[in-house]
Amino acid sequence: MTTYRITLLPGDGIGPEITAVARQLLEVVSHRHGFSLVFDEQPIGGAAIDACGEPLPASTLAACKAGDAVLLAAIGSPRFDALPRSQRPETGLLGLRAGLQLFANLRPVTIIPALADASSLRPEVIEGVDLMVVRELTGGIYFGQPKGRIEADGHVRAFNTMVYSDHEIDRIARVGFDLAMQRGRRLCSVDKANVLDVSQLWRDRVTAMSSDYPSVELSHMYVDNAAMQLVRAPKQFDVLLTGNLFGDILSDEAAMLTGSIGMLPSASLGSEGPGLFEPVHGSAPDIAGQDKANPMAMVLSAAMMLRVGLKQEEAAAALESAVDRALANGYRTGDLMADGCTQLGCRAMGEQLLAALEA
Ligand code: IPM
Ligand code: MG
């Protein structure tokens, strides 16, 4: 029997609660589909600061490199906001992305029919939305040098650098074009080329690559317009290709089309080595430990891990239909609650997902 090693990173806040649900479902679905999973649980983020004094211990990174895939829940806690940046939970996540060279972040946004009313947009605007945000993840202003904070002439100055090299743009653009080929063959590259030099280079490189993909319809959009179009007419998008910062912002916006950020999974991939699979949402410290979290983005991230990371398509589809079925049966976590539905906590939702999986 094939065995995969999964590095499990529960992290902070609601992370451990949603991880417990995903793990249980993964155990059932792997058994059912004839492979086995070995879990290696490691600390990251605030949990790692508490346990080891740093947000990404070398042992955690080494374990991630050694496994077949990494499943991460969420990191971050206001408890650490006052620490220097190098010791904050977020730095652990950025270090992991850089350490595994996960330059391509894929954030699919689809509307689950049972949740059409959960969106703040009208049902006819979001019905049929099926888009993919392709976000560059290891470059841009998140990692650019120089950066820092200096004091001079009685003033404090802080700065970051938004920088992309041709090869960084090319490799993420290729991911975008390839995905467009597998989907609706429309690629919209998002930048701020009317103002930023780095965006002009981005646009030039993406345009140059389009001659390799004559059947993909390429368009360019400024990021401010893209933010507007996402809520005005989201169906126009198939694949959205963009840099690290714009992708961070637009993917949260796109996530809300579904009604809750608690539904969206993501995959972060490099050119080799294990991928990282994590929900788009954060650690939700305000509801942590209260059994209120929505575990579905985590379960859908586990499904993405099965499909993209382990090539176990049937098991992935089984997890996804368990989510669909539990929702169709009227079960909701608080973030999605609607008239006539049954509100459940994280654990009880996990049990319904399990029941739906076994049905
Ligand atoms: C995300 C998150 C992270 C990011 C934070 C937690 C560092 O917002 O994955 O979108 O900004 O990339
Ligand atoms: Mg974000």
PDB file of all heavy atoms in Angstrom, residues 173-189 206-207 209-220 238-241:
ATOM      1  N   ALA A 173       4.221  33.293 -14.419  1.00  0.00           N
ATOM      2  CA  ALA A 173       3.351  33.498 -15.588  1.00  0.00           C
ATOM      3  C   ALA A 173       3.086  32.154 -16.274  1.00  0.00           C
ATOM      4  O   ALA A 173       1.975  31.871 -16.717  1.00  0.00           O
ATOM      5  CB  ALA A 173       3.997  34.479 -16.559  1.00  0.00           C
ATOM      6  N   ARG A 174       4.119  31.305 -16.331  1.00  0.00           N
ATOM      7  CA  ARG A 174       3.944  29.991 -16.960  1.00  0.00           C
ATOM      8  C   ARG A 174       2.893  29.179 -16.223  1.00  0.00           C
ATOM      9  O   ARG A 174       2.049  28.513 -16.834  1.00  0.00           O
ATOM     10  CB  ARG A 174       5.294  29.256 -17.025  1.00  0.00           C
ATOM     11  CG  ARG A 174       5.269  28.090 -17.947  1.00  0.00           C
ATOM     12  CD  ARG A 174       6.594  27.686 -18.603  1.00  0.00           C
ATOM     13  NE  ARG A 174       7.321  28.634 -19.408  1.00  0.00           N
ATOM     14  CZ  ARG A 174       7.044  28.954 -20.678  1.00  0.00           C
ATOM     15  NH1 ARG A 174       6.004  28.414 -21.290  1.00  0.00           N
ATOM     16  NH2 ARG A 174       7.796  29.810 -21.328  1.00  0.00           N
ATOM     17  N   VAL A 175       2.931  29.236 -14.885  1.00  0.00           N
ATOM     18  CA  VAL A 175       1.903  28.538 -14.094  1.00  0.00           C
ATOM     19  C   VAL A 175       0.519  29.073 -14.461  1.00  0.00           C
ATOM     20  O   VAL A 175      -0.431  28.308 -14.647  1.00  0.00           O
ATOM     21  CB  VAL A 175       2.169  28.718 -12.571  1.00  0.00           C
ATOM     22  CG1 VAL A 175       1.007  28.177 -11.744  1.00  0.00           C
ATOM     23  CG2 VAL A 175       3.472  28.027 -12.172  1.00  0.00           C
ATOM     24  N   GLY A 176       0.414  30.390 -14.591  1.00  0.00           N
ATOM     25  CA  GLY A 176      -0.873  30.993 -14.936  1.00  0.00           C
ATOM     26  C   GLY A 176      -1.363  30.557 -16.305  1.00  0.00           C
ATOM     27  O   GLY A 176      -2.526  30.157 -16.468  1.00  0.00           O
ATOM     28  N   PHE A 177      -0.476  30.612 -17.292  1.00  0.00           N
ATOM     29  CA  PHE A 177      -0.871  30.197 -18.648  1.00  0.00           C
ATOM     30  C   PHE A 177      -1.240  28.706 -18.683  1.00  0.00           C
ATOM     31  O   PHE A 177      -2.230  28.322 -19.305  1.00  0.00           O
ATOM     32  CB  PHE A 177       0.258  30.478 -19.640  1.00  0.00           C
ATOM     33  CG  PHE A 177       0.289  31.901 -20.151  1.00  0.00           C
ATOM     34  CD1 PHE A 177       1.288  32.783 -19.731  1.00  0.00           C
ATOM     35  CD2 PHE A 177      -0.666  32.362 -21.063  1.00  0.00           C
ATOM     36  CE1 PHE A 177       1.326  34.094 -20.214  1.00  0.00           C
ATOM     37  CE2 PHE A 177      -0.627  33.662 -21.549  1.00  0.00           C
ATOM     38  CZ  PHE A 177       0.371  34.538 -21.122  1.00  0.00           C
ATOM     39  N   ASP A 178      -0.421  27.872 -18.024  1.00  0.00           N
ATOM     40  CA  ASP A 178      -0.706  26.426 -18.028  1.00  0.00           C
ATOM     41  C   ASP A 178      -2.070  26.138 -17.407  1.00  0.00           C
ATOM     42  O   ASP A 178      -2.834  25.308 -17.901  1.00  0.00           O
ATOM     43  CB  ASP A 178       0.389  25.652 -17.288  1.00  0.00           C
ATOM     44  CG  ASP A 178       1.684  25.559 -18.100  1.00  0.00           C
ATOM     45  OD1 ASP A 178       1.631  25.777 -19.336  1.00  0.00           O
ATOM     46  OD2 ASP A 178       2.751  25.289 -17.512  1.00  0.00           O
ATOM     47  N   LEU A 179      -2.361  26.831 -16.294  1.00  0.00           N
ATOM     48  CA  LEU A 179      -3.658  26.619 -15.655  1.00  0.00           C
ATOM     49  C   LEU A 179      -4.799  27.095 -16.551  1.00  0.00           C
ATOM     50  O   LEU A 179      -5.847  26.450 -16.629  1.00  0.00           O
ATOM     51  CB  LEU A 179      -3.700  27.366 -14.324  1.00  0.00           C
ATOM     52  CG  LEU A 179      -3.237  26.545 -13.137  1.00  0.00           C
ATOM     53  CD1 LEU A 179      -2.989  27.442 -11.942  1.00  0.00           C
ATOM     54  CD2 LEU A 179      -4.278  25.489 -12.797  1.00  0.00           C
ATOM     55  N   ALA A 180      -4.577  28.219 -17.212  1.00  0.00           N
ATOM     56  CA  ALA A 180      -5.614  28.732 -18.116  1.00  0.00           C
ATOM     57  C   ALA A 180      -5.897  27.701 -19.210  1.00  0.00           C
ATOM     58  O   ALA A 180      -7.051  27.482 -19.595  1.00  0.00           O
ATOM     59  CB  ALA A 180      -5.192  30.069 -18.713  1.00  0.00           C
ATOM     60  N   MET A 181      -4.852  27.034 -19.691  1.00  0.00           N
ATOM     61  CA  MET A 181      -5.015  25.996 -20.718  1.00  0.00           C
ATOM     62  C   MET A 181      -5.917  24.862 -20.225  1.00  0.00           C
ATOM     63  O   MET A 181      -6.689  24.302 -20.985  1.00  0.00           O
ATOM     64  CB  MET A 181      -3.663  25.402 -21.112  1.00  0.00           C
ATOM     65  CG  MET A 181      -2.767  26.311 -21.917  1.00  0.00           C
ATOM     66  SD  MET A 181      -3.412  26.635 -23.564  1.00  0.00           S
ATOM     67  CE  MET A 181      -3.122  25.046 -24.347  1.00  0.00           C
ATOM     68  N   GLN A 182      -5.771  24.537 -18.909  1.00  0.00           N
ATOM     69  CA  GLN A 182      -6.573  23.436 -18.352  1.00  0.00           C
ATOM     70  C   GLN A 182      -7.979  23.887 -17.996  1.00  0.00           C
ATOM     71  O   GLN A 182      -8.835  23.075 -17.670  1.00  0.00           O
ATOM     72  CB  GLN A 182      -5.933  22.906 -17.062  1.00  0.00           C
ATOM     73  CG  GLN A 182      -4.597  22.223 -17.255  1.00  0.00           C
ATOM     74  CD  GLN A 182      -3.835  22.148 -15.933  1.00  0.00           C
ATOM     75  OE1 GLN A 182      -4.422  22.126 -14.857  1.00  0.00           O
ATOM     76  NE2 GLN A 182      -2.516  22.121 -15.999  1.00  0.00           N
ATOM     77  N   ARG A 183      -8.198  25.208 -17.975  1.00  0.00           N
ATOM     78  CA  ARG A 183      -9.492  25.719 -17.538  1.00  0.00           C
ATOM     79  C   ARG A 183     -10.197  26.405 -18.703  1.00  0.00           C
ATOM     80  O   ARG A 183     -10.354  25.806 -19.758  1.00  0.00           O
ATOM     81  CB  ARG A 183      -9.291  26.674 -16.351  1.00  0.00           C
ATOM     82  CG  ARG A 183      -8.683  26.016 -15.118  1.00  0.00           C
ATOM     83  CD  ARG A 183      -8.364  27.053 -14.059  1.00  0.00           C
ATOM     84  NE  ARG A 183      -9.438  28.032 -13.952  1.00  0.00           N
ATOM     85  CZ  ARG A 183     -10.372  28.040 -12.985  1.00  0.00           C
ATOM     86  NH1 ARG A 183     -10.305  27.153 -12.014  1.00  0.00           N
ATOM     87  NH2 ARG A 183     -11.331  28.942 -12.989  1.00  0.00           N
ATOM     88  N   GLY A 184     -10.551  27.688 -18.513  1.00  0.00           N
ATOM     89  CA  GLY A 184     -11.345  28.380 -19.530  1.00  0.00           C
ATOM     90  C   GLY A 184     -10.539  29.140 -20.560  1.00  0.00           C
ATOM     91  O   GLY A 184     -11.098  29.891 -21.365  1.00  0.00           O
ATOM     92  N   ARG A 185      -9.207  29.005 -20.530  1.00  0.00           N
ATOM     93  CA  ARG A 185      -8.319  29.651 -21.511  1.00  0.00           C
ATOM     94  C   ARG A 185      -8.398  31.169 -21.505  1.00  0.00           C
ATOM     95  O   ARG A 185      -8.258  31.808 -22.551  1.00  0.00           O
ATOM     96  CB  ARG A 185      -8.587  29.106 -22.919  1.00  0.00           C
ATOM     97  CG  ARG A 185      -8.419  27.614 -22.930  1.00  0.00           C
ATOM     98  CD  ARG A 185      -8.168  27.079 -24.294  1.00  0.00           C
ATOM     99  NE  ARG A 185      -7.714  25.702 -24.129  1.00  0.00           N
ATOM    100  CZ  ARG A 185      -7.183  24.966 -25.072  1.00  0.00           C
ATOM    101  NH1 ARG A 185      -7.015  25.472 -26.266  1.00  0.00           N
ATOM    102  NH2 ARG A 185      -6.788  23.738 -24.833  1.00  0.00           N
ATOM    103  N   ARG A 186      -8.674  31.739 -20.345  1.00  0.00           N
ATOM    104  CA  ARG A 186      -8.625  33.193 -20.221  1.00  0.00           C
ATOM    105  C   ARG A 186      -7.722  33.547 -19.056  1.00  0.00           C
ATOM    106  O   ARG A 186      -7.881  33.038 -17.950  1.00  0.00           O
ATOM    107  CB  ARG A 186     -10.028  33.769 -19.996  1.00  0.00           C
ATOM    108  CG  ARG A 186     -10.846  33.814 -21.295  1.00  0.00           C
ATOM    109  CD  ARG A 186     -12.246  34.327 -21.042  1.00  0.00           C
ATOM    110  NE  ARG A 186     -12.950  33.430 -20.140  1.00  0.00           N
ATOM    111  CZ  ARG A 186     -13.535  33.804 -19.011  1.00  0.00           C
ATOM    112  NH1 ARG A 186     -13.524  35.064 -18.633  1.00  0.00           N
ATOM    113  NH2 ARG A 186     -14.137  32.922 -18.244  1.00  0.00           N
ATOM    114  N   LEU A 187      -6.746  34.387 -19.321  1.00  0.00           N
ATOM    115  CA  LEU A 187      -5.800  34.779 -18.279  1.00  0.00           C
ATOM    116  C   LEU A 187      -5.827  36.293 -18.155  1.00  0.00           C
ATOM    117  O   LEU A 187      -5.623  37.015 -19.140  1.00  0.00           O
ATOM    118  CB  LEU A 187      -4.386  34.310 -18.649  1.00  0.00           C
ATOM    119  CG  LEU A 187      -3.291  34.650 -17.639  1.00  0.00           C
ATOM    120  CD1 LEU A 187      -3.472  33.874 -16.346  1.00  0.00           C
ATOM    121  CD2 LEU A 187      -1.906  34.342 -18.220  1.00  0.00           C
ATOM    122  N   CYS A 188      -6.098  36.773 -16.930  1.00  0.00           N
ATOM    123  CA  CYS A 188      -6.068  38.216 -16.687  1.00  0.00           C
ATOM    124  C   CYS A 188      -4.901  38.502 -15.742  1.00  0.00           C
ATOM    125  O   CYS A 188      -4.879  38.031 -14.609  1.00  0.00           O
ATOM    126  CB  CYS A 188      -7.395  38.663 -16.068  1.00  0.00           C
ATOM    127  SG  CYS A 188      -7.399  40.431 -15.691  1.00  0.00           S
ATOM    128  N   SER A 189      -3.924  39.240 -16.229  1.00  0.00           N
ATOM    129  CA  SER A 189      -2.760  39.590 -15.420  1.00  0.00           C
ATOM    130  C   SER A 189      -3.013  40.941 -14.754  1.00  0.00           C
ATOM    131  O   SER A 189      -3.380  41.912 -15.415  1.00  0.00           O
ATOM    132  CB  SER A 189      -1.523  39.642 -16.315  1.00  0.00           C
ATOM    133  OG  SER A 189      -0.424  40.130 -15.573  1.00  0.00           O
ATOM    134  N   VAL A 206       4.811  39.039 -19.195  1.00  0.00           N
ATOM    135  CA  VAL A 206       3.595  38.239 -19.396  1.00  0.00           C
ATOM    136  C   VAL A 206       3.153  38.345 -20.857  1.00  0.00           C
ATOM    137  O   VAL A 206       2.797  37.344 -21.492  1.00  0.00           O
ATOM    138  CB  VAL A 206       2.474  38.686 -18.425  1.00  0.00           C
ATOM    139  CG1 VAL A 206       1.162  37.964 -18.733  1.00  0.00           C
ATOM    140  CG2 VAL A 206       2.887  38.423 -16.977  1.00  0.00           C
ATOM    141  N   THR A 207       3.218  39.539 -21.398  1.00  0.00           N
ATOM    142  CA  THR A 207       2.829  39.742 -22.796  1.00  0.00           C
ATOM    143  C   THR A 207       3.730  38.920 -23.717  1.00  0.00           C
ATOM    144  O   THR A 207       3.257  38.260 -24.644  1.00  0.00           O
ATOM    145  CB  THR A 207       2.934  41.243 -23.161  1.00  0.00           C
ATOM    146  OG1 THR A 207       2.120  41.972 -22.249  1.00  0.00           O
ATOM    147  CG2 THR A 207       2.467  41.501 -24.588  1.00  0.00           C
ATOM    148  N   MET A 209       5.276  36.197 -23.086  1.00  0.00           N
ATOM    149  CA  MET A 209       5.012  34.763 -22.980  1.00  0.00           C
ATOM    150  C   MET A 209       3.754  34.346 -23.722  1.00  0.00           C
ATOM    151  O   MET A 209       3.596  33.166 -24.085  1.00  0.00           O
ATOM    152  CB  MET A 209       4.913  34.353 -21.512  1.00  0.00           C
ATOM    153  CG  MET A 209       4.906  32.856 -21.333  1.00  0.00           C
ATOM    154  SD  MET A 209       5.043  32.381 -19.618  1.00  0.00           S
ATOM    155  CE  MET A 209       6.743  32.773 -19.297  1.00  0.00           C
ATOM    156  N   SER A 210       2.849  35.272 -23.948  1.00  0.00           N
ATOM    157  CA  SER A 210       1.563  34.888 -24.533  1.00  0.00           C
ATOM    158  C   SER A 210       1.728  34.294 -25.935  1.00  0.00           C
ATOM    159  O   SER A 210       0.859  33.554 -26.390  1.00  0.00           O
ATOM    160  CB  SER A 210       0.594  36.072 -24.541  1.00  0.00           C
ATOM    161  OG  SER A 210       1.039  37.034 -25.457  1.00  0.00           O
ATOM    162  N   SER A 211       2.868  34.571 -26.608  1.00  0.00           N
ATOM    163  CA  SER A 211       3.037  33.979 -27.938  1.00  0.00           C
ATOM    164  C   SER A 211       3.231  32.453 -27.854  1.00  0.00           C
ATOM    165  O   SER A 211       2.991  31.740 -28.819  1.00  0.00           O
ATOM    166  CB  SER A 211       4.215  34.634 -28.671  1.00  0.00           C
ATOM    167  OG  SER A 211       5.373  34.482 -27.890  1.00  0.00           O
ATOM    168  N   ASP A 212       3.642  31.948 -26.653  1.00  0.00           N
ATOM    169  CA  ASP A 212       3.720  30.488 -26.462  1.00  0.00           C
ATOM    170  C   ASP A 212       2.336  29.866 -26.262  1.00  0.00           C
ATOM    171  O   ASP A 212       2.205  28.641 -26.263  1.00  0.00           O
ATOM    172  CB  ASP A 212       4.540  30.142 -25.205  1.00  0.00           C
ATOM    173  CG  ASP A 212       6.010  30.507 -25.354  1.00  0.00           C
ATOM    174  OD1 ASP A 212       6.419  30.853 -26.478  1.00  0.00           O
ATOM    175  OD2 ASP A 212       6.742  30.450 -24.351  1.00  0.00           O
ATOM    176  N   TYR A 213       1.354  30.685 -26.001  1.00  0.00           N
ATOM    177  CA  TYR A 213       0.008  30.183 -25.682  1.00  0.00           C
ATOM    178  C   TYR A 213      -1.031  30.884 -26.557  1.00  0.00           C
ATOM    179  O   TYR A 213      -1.868  31.636 -26.057  1.00  0.00           O
ATOM    180  CB  TYR A 213      -0.308  30.430 -24.198  1.00  0.00           C
ATOM    181  CG  TYR A 213       0.603  29.694 -23.237  1.00  0.00           C
ATOM    182  CD1 TYR A 213       1.811  30.253 -22.825  1.00  0.00           C
ATOM    183  CD2 TYR A 213       0.249  28.431 -22.749  1.00  0.00           C
ATOM    184  CE1 TYR A 213       2.645  29.581 -21.944  1.00  0.00           C
ATOM    185  CE2 TYR A 213       1.084  27.756 -21.864  1.00  0.00           C
ATOM    186  CZ  TYR A 213       2.283  28.338 -21.463  1.00  0.00           C
ATOM    187  OH  TYR A 213       3.099  27.671 -20.598  1.00  0.00           O
ATOM    188  N   PRO A 214      -0.998  30.630 -27.856  1.00  0.00           N
ATOM    189  CA  PRO A 214      -1.895  31.363 -28.760  1.00  0.00           C
ATOM    190  C   PRO A 214      -3.376  31.133 -28.454  1.00  0.00           C
ATOM    191  O   PRO A 214      -4.200  31.984 -28.789  1.00  0.00           O
ATOM    192  CB  PRO A 214      -1.525  30.810 -30.148  1.00  0.00           C
ATOM    193  CG  PRO A 214      -0.738  29.563 -29.889  1.00  0.00           C
ATOM    194  CD  PRO A 214      -0.120  29.691 -28.547  1.00  0.00           C
ATOM    195  N   SER A 215      -3.709  30.009 -27.802  1.00  0.00           N
ATOM    196  CA  SER A 215      -5.138  29.769 -27.569  1.00  0.00           C
ATOM    197  C   SER A 215      -5.616  30.357 -26.245  1.00  0.00           C
ATOM    198  O   SER A 215      -6.792  30.254 -25.906  1.00  0.00           O
ATOM    199  CB  SER A 215      -5.437  28.268 -27.626  1.00  0.00           C
ATOM    200  OG  SER A 215      -4.706  27.604 -26.629  1.00  0.00           O
ATOM    201  N   VAL A 216      -4.716  30.977 -25.479  1.00  0.00           N
ATOM    202  CA  VAL A 216      -5.152  31.633 -24.239  1.00  0.00           C
ATOM    203  C   VAL A 216      -5.386  33.110 -24.513  1.00  0.00           C
ATOM    204  O   VAL A 216      -4.529  33.798 -25.067  1.00  0.00           O
ATOM    205  CB  VAL A 216      -4.095  31.472 -23.116  1.00  0.00           C
ATOM    206  CG1 VAL A 216      -4.489  32.289 -21.885  1.00  0.00           C
ATOM    207  CG2 VAL A 216      -3.915  30.005 -22.740  1.00  0.00           C
ATOM    208  N   GLU A 217      -6.558  33.569 -24.134  1.00  0.00           N
ATOM    209  CA  GLU A 217      -6.882  34.988 -24.307  1.00  0.00           C
ATOM    210  C   GLU A 217      -6.317  35.760 -23.115  1.00  0.00           C
ATOM    211  O   GLU A 217      -6.774  35.602 -21.979  1.00  0.00           O
ATOM    212  CB  GLU A 217      -8.408  35.120 -24.352  1.00  0.00           C
ATOM    213  CG  GLU A 217      -8.934  36.513 -24.605  1.00  0.00           C
ATOM    214  CD  GLU A 217     -10.430  36.566 -24.289  1.00  0.00           C
ATOM    215  OE1 GLU A 217     -11.162  35.681 -24.808  1.00  0.00           O
ATOM    216  OE2 GLU A 217     -10.837  37.447 -23.535  1.00  0.00           O
ATOM    217  N   LEU A 218      -5.288  36.558 -23.373  1.00  0.00           N
ATOM    218  CA  LEU A 218      -4.619  37.308 -22.303  1.00  0.00           C
ATOM    219  C   LEU A 218      -5.178  38.724 -22.206  1.00  0.00           C
ATOM    220  O   LEU A 218      -5.338  39.407 -23.223  1.00  0.00           O
ATOM    221  CB  LEU A 218      -3.109  37.382 -22.576  1.00  0.00           C
ATOM    222  CG  LEU A 218      -2.301  38.297 -21.645  1.00  0.00           C
ATOM    223  CD1 LEU A 218      -2.282  37.762 -20.212  1.00  0.00           C
ATOM    224  CD2 LEU A 218      -0.872  38.483 -22.164  1.00  0.00           C
ATOM    225  N   SER A 219      -5.467  39.155 -20.989  1.00  0.00           N
ATOM    226  CA  SER A 219      -5.808  40.563 -20.774  1.00  0.00           C
ATOM    227  C   SER A 219      -4.991  41.082 -19.594  1.00  0.00           C
ATOM    228  O   SER A 219      -4.425  40.311 -18.818  1.00  0.00           O
ATOM    229  CB  SER A 219      -7.304  40.722 -20.504  1.00  0.00           C
ATOM    230  OG  SER A 219      -7.662  39.991 -19.347  1.00  0.00           O
ATOM    231  N   HIS A 220      -4.906  42.392 -19.487  1.00  0.00           N
ATOM    232  CA  HIS A 220      -4.205  43.028 -18.370  1.00  0.00           C
ATOM    233  C   HIS A 220      -5.181  43.949 -17.665  1.00  0.00           C
ATOM    234  O   HIS A 220      -6.017  44.584 -18.315  1.00  0.00           O
ATOM    235  CB  HIS A 220      -3.018  43.857 -18.871  1.00  0.00           C
ATOM    236  CG  HIS A 220      -2.018  43.069 -19.657  1.00  0.00           C
ATOM    237  ND1 HIS A 220      -1.001  42.350 -19.062  1.00  0.00           N
ATOM    238  CD2 HIS A 220      -1.895  42.866 -20.985  1.00  0.00           C
ATOM    239  CE1 HIS A 220      -0.287  41.758 -19.999  1.00  0.00           C
ATOM    240  NE2 HIS A 220      -0.807  42.045 -21.180  1.00  0.00           N
ATOM    241  N   ASP A 238     -11.384  34.027 -15.299  1.00  0.00           N
ATOM    242  CA  ASP A 238     -11.048  32.603 -15.262  1.00  0.00           C
ATOM    243  C   ASP A 238      -9.794  32.459 -14.400  1.00  0.00           C
ATOM    244  O   ASP A 238      -9.873  32.100 -13.226  1.00  0.00           O
ATOM    245  CB  ASP A 238     -10.831  32.106 -16.707  1.00  0.00           C
ATOM    246  CG  ASP A 238     -10.403  30.653 -16.771  1.00  0.00           C
ATOM    247  OD1 ASP A 238     -10.625  29.925 -15.802  1.00  0.00           O
ATOM    248  OD2 ASP A 238      -9.834  30.254 -17.822  1.00  0.00           O
ATOM    249  N   VAL A 239      -8.624  32.808 -14.922  1.00  0.00           N
ATOM    250  CA  VAL A 239      -7.402  32.799 -14.108  1.00  0.00           C
ATOM    251  C   VAL A 239      -6.927  34.239 -13.931  1.00  0.00           C
ATOM    252  O   VAL A 239      -6.785  34.981 -14.906  1.00  0.00           O
ATOM    253  CB  VAL A 239      -6.283  31.964 -14.767  1.00  0.00           C
ATOM    254  CG1 VAL A 239      -5.013  32.021 -13.920  1.00  0.00           C
ATOM    255  CG2 VAL A 239      -6.734  30.520 -14.955  1.00  0.00           C
ATOM    256  N   LEU A 240      -6.714  34.611 -12.661  1.00  0.00           N
ATOM    257  CA  LEU A 240      -6.160  35.929 -12.327  1.00  0.00           C
ATOM    258  C   LEU A 240      -4.706  35.720 -11.915  1.00  0.00           C
ATOM    259  O   LEU A 240      -4.432  35.001 -10.955  1.00  0.00           O
ATOM    260  CB  LEU A 240      -6.915  36.521 -11.137  1.00  0.00           C
ATOM    261  CG  LEU A 240      -8.187  37.306 -11.406  1.00  0.00           C
ATOM    262  CD1 LEU A 240      -8.978  37.467 -10.108  1.00  0.00           C
ATOM    263  CD2 LEU A 240      -7.853  38.678 -11.965  1.00  0.00           C
ATOM    264  N   LEU A 241      -3.794  36.342 -12.636  1.00  0.00           N
ATOM    265  CA  LEU A 241      -2.362  36.174 -12.352  1.00  0.00           C
ATOM    266  C   LEU A 241      -1.826  37.464 -11.748  1.00  0.00           C
ATOM    267  O   LEU A 241      -1.996  38.542 -12.345  1.00  0.00           O
ATOM    268  CB  LEU A 241      -1.639  35.878 -13.672  1.00  0.00           C
ATOM    269  CG  LEU A 241      -0.108  35.949 -13.641  1.00  0.00           C
ATOM    270  CD1 LEU A 241       0.471  34.818 -12.812  1.00  0.00           C
ATOM    271  CD2 LEU A 241       0.446  35.919 -15.065  1.00  0.00           C
TER     272      LEU A 241
END
